[in-house]
Amino acid sequence: MKDLNFFEKCYVVAKRVPFGRVTSYGAIAKYLGTARAARMVGWAMNASHGDIDIPAHRVVNRKGVLTGKHHFKGTNLMQQLLESEGIEVKELQIQNFKEVFWDPSLELNGLEDV
DNA sequence: ATTCTGACGTGGG
DNA sequence: CCCCACGCCAGAA
């Protein structure tokens, strides 16, 4: 974890997001220590295209809006993936966001040795 | 080294 | 609640 670059760190955390739950770019950035680098997390996800192990669709902005949908193949692939996990999405807005939100800084631990 | 660029976040109006 | 402006930081060119 310590000798991983920013991108890889983002991937490590992203992979830990539980099925049917979502987190935000800012939350990941915060967990990584660079709370102000939320934008970079998004960019990292962008670079993760191809890595099917990385559930980039479970990462949204702080409001629970699928701002990154544009970067997925189809026009609504991101939403489909989320819905297939039981997450309700309406007009790019995740419903019951607070319920499905998963904060790595609160529920994640022991990644130092990853 | 310098400049540009965001899948963001926050604060103020 | 919505919109705007500004801040931020790691990579790419």
Side-chain angles (χ1 to χ4, degrees):
Chain A
M1 190 62 176
K2 43 189 165 110
D3 27 283
L4 295 175
N5 60 38
F6 192 80
F7 278 33
E8 296 173 309
K9 289 181 183 173
C10 290
Y11 303 155
V12 171
V13 179
K15 285 185 191 171
R16 292 298 198 275
V17 180
F19 182 94
R21 304 289 297 286
V22 298
T23 191
S24 72
Y25 303 97
I28 293 178
K30 181 181 178 185
Y31 177 77
L32 296 179
T34 55
R36 323 285 176 69
R39 313 175 76 167
M40 298 310 306
V41 178
W43 197 1
M45 292 301 110
N46 175 34
S48 79
H49 273 200
D51 287 320
I52 63 171
D53 290 339
I54 303 177
H57 59 282
R58 293 185 192 146
V59 186
V60 298
N61 74 353
R62 66 157 169 185
K63 294 183 291 189
V65 177
L66 283 50
T67 52
K69 131 171 193 148
H70 236 50
H71 298 268
F72 282 78
K73 297 198 62 175
T75 53
N76 60 340
L77 176 59
M78 187 176 188
Q79 178 169 336
Q80 286 179 16
L81 290 170
L82 289 172
E83 294 180 325
S84 71
E85 298 190 1
I87 296 176
E88 187 183 353
V89 181
K90 173 150 187 158
E91 299 298 309
L92 301 186
Q93 166 67 60
I94 292 180
Q95 307 300 297
N96 311 317
F97 183 52
K98 294 182 70 173
E99 317 269 330
V100 296
F101 181 71
W102 178 83
D103 187 347
S105 65
L106 294 182
E107 312 188 42
L108 195 61
N109 53 356
L111 284 187
E112 306 313 315
D113 53 309
V114 179

